């Protein structure tokens, strides 16, 4: 997947998790959020996975990766109300949800 594809998948994955929280969907959402450098949100998804299955090694690895990204300071803030937008609302309003995301308020640290 290319980076933009992850950004487009995130609202759909949030909607799927809201409908029926499944470990596999939480994992995919967590990974997509990590790929988009949205570590605090990814951390929440991996923690949710561990509450559902506390022995899930993929969730533990994802949580470790999210925490490492947070510690390094190289992450983006959560876009406003993205997790509350679902696909049907986006279609009714006739706009692309990825284009509606505001720019991050925290710039990544220099490398």
């Amino acid at each position: 997947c290319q980076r933009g594809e992850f950004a487009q998948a995130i609202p759909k994955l949030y909607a799927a998790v809201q409908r029926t929280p499944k470990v596999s969907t939480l994992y995919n959402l967590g990974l997509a959020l990590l790929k988009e450098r949205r570590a605090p949100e990814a951390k929440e998804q991996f923690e949710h996975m561990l509450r559902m299955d506390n022995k899930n090694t993929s969730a533990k690895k994802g949580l470790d990766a999210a925490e490492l990204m947070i510690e390094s300071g190289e992450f983006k803030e959560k876009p406003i109300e993205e997790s509350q937008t679902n696909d049907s609302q986006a279609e009714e309003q006739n706009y692309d949800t990825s284009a509606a995301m505001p720019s991050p308020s925290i710039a990544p640290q220099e490398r």
Side-chain angles (χ1 to χ4, degrees), residues 83-101:
S83 62
Q84 297 173 359
T85 303
N86 66 36
D87 293 340
S88 62
Q89 290 172 327
E91 289 172 15
E92 289 173 9
Q93 295 173 1
N94 197 23
Y95 69 88
D96 181 1
T97 55
S98 62
M101 293 182 209

Side-chain angles (χ1 to χ4, degrees), residues 5-19 25 29 82 85-88 90-91 96-97:
E5 292 175 2
F6 290 111
Q8 291 176 352
I10 290 170
K12 294 174 184 176
L13 289 166
Y14 266 121
V17 166
Q18 287 176 348
R19 281 191 305 272
T25 309
L29 177 55
E82 177 186 279
T85 303
N86 66 36
D87 293 340
S88 62
E91 289 172 15
D96 181 1
T97 55

